[in-house]
Amino acid sequence: MRKKLPYACIALLTLTGLGLVVIPNGMRFTGWLFLGAAAVWALGILVVRWGKHSRTGKVCGRIFFTGLTLGLVTLAGIEAAIVFRGEADNSNLPVDAVIVLGAGVNGETPSAALWSRIRAAEDYLEIHPDVPVVLSGGQGAGEAISEAEAMRRALWKEDGAENARLLLEERSTNTAENFRFSKALLEERGLDTGRATIAVVTNDFHCFRAHMIARRQGLKTIDVPAELPWWWLTANYYLREAFAVVKTSLFDLN
């Protein structure tokens, strides 16, 4: 029974991963992660068996498990940094401007991620009523309006007193462009972005990487984290974000 348990676990990981990948549920990345874990587990079993009969197999096994350990330790370290950054409370710090980063829109309806950012922005803007606000996000596939416009509609006040400070940035397609185009808008308004402190509203899991990208563009930012409403989506995005941080560190130079 014990000998069969690893194979049962591999089969369970594989079936769960396939289900998450195939069925639309917002957790496709976790599905691929499950499939990858099943593949690594299966490969580990093969390497162990090979090592029992071959000196070369033993060497390869050591290399495999050393690499796996280093990878897991690195992943854990990145996750710890992401979690730490996403738990910051900077609501009372003085700022010169606010940038709200966009997220997906389903037709004209904000996604769960975008709704959480809108709610966090609304709360934050009540505390900081006199600073300009850039709503940043273009229009992508499946979106009838831009992400910036979706946020504007949600934040628009009937009396109009707060509306003048809402600036729409509707060209960006990624976080780097969010900051680049928002920076240009704020500079057009006369803000010295080289000296200004800018509050960035985004999801808690995204704060660490957003801060990395903003710093590369010469912006001094503080985080305003927004929590997703469902824990399983949060877990999915936190896992995905660790790999996105690695990609941003190695390949995204802008």
Side-chain angles (χ1 to χ4, degrees):
M1 183 65 181
R2 289 182 179 179
K3 292 183 178 180
K4 294 181 179 179
L5 183 59
Y7 300 102
C9 291
I10 292 171
L12 181 60
L13 282 172
T14 302
L15 291 173
T16 304
L18 287 173
L20 292 175
V21 168
V22 173
I23 301 171
N25 51 25
M27 297 183 65
R28 195 170 193 180
F29 179 82
T30 299
W32 286 114
L33 202 60
F34 279 16
L35 291 174
V40 170
W41 197 339
L43 183 58
I45 291 174
L46 291 176
V47 168
V48 169
R49 286 187 173 181
W50 183 23
K52 290 179 179 179
H53 306 287
S54 167
R55 180 174 296 179
T56 303
K58 286 183 180 180
V59 173
C60 289
R62 288 171 185 167
I63 294 172
F64 174 82
F65 287 108
T66 299
L68 181 61
T69 301
L70 290 174
L72 291 174
V73 169
T74 302
L75 178 63
I78 294 172
E79 286 291 356
I82 293 170
V83 170
F84 178 80
R85 193 92 200 179
E87 292 182 348
D89 182 6
N90 300 310
S91 56
N92 292 321
L93 295 179
V95 295
D96 302 294
V98 179
I99 298 176
V100 187
L101 300 183
V105 177
N106 303 313
E108 297 185 8
T109 304
S111 62
L114 187 55
W115 267 123
S116 66
R117 299 182 191 193
I118 290 169
R119 288 192 292 268
E122 193 169 28
D123 293 340
Y124 188 79
L125 296 183
E126 288 183 3
I127 303 173
H128 301 271
D130 301 318
V131 296
V133 183
V134 180
L135 308 177
S136 180
Q139 182 176 345
E143 299 178 340
I145 57 175
S146 71
E147 296 164 8
E149 173 62 18
M151 290 188 281
R152 185 197 68 82
R153 293 182 184 183
L155 294 169
W156 191 264
K157 303 295 183 182
E158 291 297 329
D159 59 15
E162 293 287 300
N163 300 332
R165 64 175 175 150
L166 300 180
L167 310 175
L168 267 64
E169 183 288 294
E170 300 182 276
R171 295 187 294 159
S172 56
T173 60
N174 55 47
T175 304
E177 290 182 353
N178 284 146
F179 286 119
R180 186 180 306 122
F181 298 146
S182 297
K183 179 180 179 182
L185 272 179
L186 290 171
E187 289 174 346
E188 288 175 8
R189 289 283 296 259
L191 184 69
D192 183 354
T193 58
R195 296 184 177 182
T197 298
I198 301 173
V200 177
V201 182
T202 188
N203 288 108
D204 47 11
F205 61 82
H206 188 231
C207 287
F208 183 85
R209 187 160 59 96
H211 183 77
M212 286 175 55
I213 296 170
R215 186 172 56 185
R216 287 180 178 178
Q217 299 196 19
L219 296 175
K220 178 185 176 183
T221 62
I222 63 171
D223 307 301
V224 182
E227 294 184 11
L228 283 172
W230 304 299
W231 68 266
W232 59 88
L233 277 181
T234 300
N236 175 73
Y237 284 118
Y238 265 104
L239 285 170
R240 189 180 75 175
E241 195 65 16
F243 291 89
V245 166
V246 174
K247 177 179 178 293
T248 298
S249 300
L250 295 178
F251 304 111
D252 295 345
L253 303 179
N254 296 322

